[in-house]
Amino acid sequence: EEGGKGKGKRKAKGKDSTVDGGGGGAFGGGDGQSIYCESCREDHSTATTLSVFTQCKKCTWGNPVKNGDCFFNCVANVLLARCADEGLALRDDELELKTFLRESCAMEMGQEQLDFYLSTAGSEAEFPGYKHFLNDEMWYALQEKQSRDDSARTRSTAESTPSESQPTPREPRVTSVKALRHLAAKDGVLWADAHSHSVIAKKMNACILVVDMENKRGCGASGRYRVLATSPDIEWILVLKLSGGHFYYFKYKSNDDTFRGLFKLNEFPKVLRPLFRPCLPEATGGLTATKCLENLGFND
């Protein structure tokens, strides 16, 4: 249960537990709260959002390249690593799988996604991908603003005397679903959005959990520990961290010294269960990662 109501009762060692603590609870808010870690055989504090992850000797985060495709890179990494556990050596295919996942999401885009980008482009213009949806007036206004900002920076650093420059000719505005799909399929142009998260979760039959560093504490739709996207039939669980618009993927060192980031429910690290308990599925199926890859259509 979420803390913040005084003391909690500690369970027997070897099981998920919390110890006496004040407000904030077991979800990263309160001083004095802790979770017993069976792997480390000690209590890990939950005083900060990532304290459990940093204190547990078997927890680590993978950091993909910050190129706009971090979500797809995270999914590709944990899926291929799990396939390798099953004897299917595809580690050299991470870039290819990342591209495949992005293209699969792009082909699922429709009028709803196009309307979203067209309606929000003006307020999100600082993100490069959104400039493709700006009308001419907004696009040239953005060019002028960037030119003024560049000139001001040049003058302030006395690097050189700013010269007059012509606005960069713009590419055609994206106004059709076909053009949107073509743009979204390009590496690093449009970041993975809620649509992409949902498509990947459903295609993988996965429950994707996230530690959202820019959100509130607790577990729920608006919580720091929450479900990013899920599928009606869940075969896998993976955990991501979202910080500064960048995704990281969680890895846990199992008893056989293998780092895994894709879990069945009975494999999900016990030390994380109190953080995500309301978000965890009741069960996961028996689908192998190799079969998951086949169902995605990769390497057909």
Side-chain angles (χ1 to χ4, degrees):
E1 295 179 355
E2 185 167 345
K5 297 180 180 180
K7 295 185 178 181
K9 292 183 178 180
R10 167 100 172 248
K11 297 179 181 178
K13 286 192 175 184
K15 297 182 179 180
D16 305 331
S17 60
T18 58
V19 298
D20 293 355
F27 297 125
D31 294 339
Q33 288 287 339
S34 63
I35 297 174
Y36 180 77
C37 178
E38 188 178 78
S39 299
C40 300
R41 299 192 177 186
E42 60 185 43
D43 292 313
H44 296 325
S45 169
T46 59
T48 66
T49 308
L50 294 180
S51 54
V52 171
F53 296 91
T54 56
Q55 292 170 23
C56 180
K57 301 178 181 66
K58 294 195 173 186
C59 296
T60 187
W61 294 100
N63 184 9
V65 177
K66 296 182 179 181
N67 59 0
D69 278 338
C70 53
F71 172 77
F72 300 109
N73 278 321
C74 286
V75 174
N77 187 287
V78 299
L79 179 53
L80 291 180
R82 187 73 192 219
C83 287
D85 286 349
E86 298 174 1
L88 184 63
L90 292 171
R91 297 300 300 168
D92 292 338
D93 290 345
E94 182 178 340
L95 178 61
E96 184 180 349
L97 178 57
K98 179 268 298 183
T99 301
F100 174 82
L101 294 174
R102 167 177 276 285
E103 291 175 349
S104 296
C105 291
M107 292 305 103
E108 297 277 346
M109 286 186 165
Q111 188 64 43
E112 182 179 353
Q113 286 71 46
L114 177 62
D115 290 343
F116 168 79
Y117 282 109
L118 289 173
S119 63
T120 58
S123 60
E124 303 290 346
E126 69 270 21
F127 297 105
Y130 282 82
K131 68 181 181 180
H132 299 276
F133 303 91
L134 296 172
N135 61 34
D136 287 345
E137 181 181 354
M138 289 189 292
W139 192 87
Y140 283 111
L142 178 64
Q143 290 291 305
E144 290 178 5
K145 179 180 182 301
Q146 291 176 340
S147 179
R148 290 194 301 270
D149 292 345
D150 290 344
S151 296
R153 281 193 295 270
T154 300
R155 288 193 296 271
S156 65
T157 56
E159 291 177 349
S160 62
T161 302
S163 58
E164 294 294 328
S165 59
Q166 297 297 319
T168 305
R170 72 165 302 176
E171 297 179 7
R173 185 188 185 199
V174 173
T175 57
S176 69
V177 171
K178 181 179 179 180
L180 170 63
R181 291 175 176 175
H182 178 74
L183 180 69
K186 295 180 179 180
D187 288 350
V189 177
L190 290 180
W191 294 1
D193 55 12
H195 166 77
S196 298
H197 304 157
S198 178
V199 169
I200 294 301
K202 290 176 180 177
K203 284 181 175 292
M204 286 183 60
N205 294 112
C207 175
I208 305 176
L209 303 176
V210 66
V211 181
D212 190 343
M213 300 299 294
E214 300 168 10
N215 215 322
K216 301 175 182 178
R217 67 187 181 195
C219 184
S222 61
R224 178 160 282 171
Y225 306 97
R226 59 186 173 87
V227 175
L228 183 70
T230 191
S231 169
D233 301 309
I234 299 174
E235 297 282 347
W236 299 103
I237 306 169
L238 62 149
V239 180
L240 305 179
K241 178 179 69 173
L242 178 60
S243 179
H246 183 62
F247 279 107
Y248 304 78
Y249 57 95
F250 173 73
K251 299 189 294 181
Y252 186 78
K253 190 176 183 180
S254 62
N255 292 333
D256 61 1
D257 291 334
T258 300
F259 277 101
R260 291 192 176 97
L262 199 59
F263 308 96
K264 297 296 186 181
L265 182 61
N266 66 331
E267 301 168 338
F268 193 75
K270 291 183 179 180
V271 70
L272 300 189
R273 288 179 183 246
L275 302 178
F276 288 106
R277 184 173 285 118
C279 309
L280 289 173
E282 294 182 359
T284 50
L287 191 73
T288 65
T290 304
K291 184 63 176 177
C292 176
L293 208 60
E294 293 176 5
N295 291 346
L296 282 168
F298 185 62
N299 282 338
D300 277 352

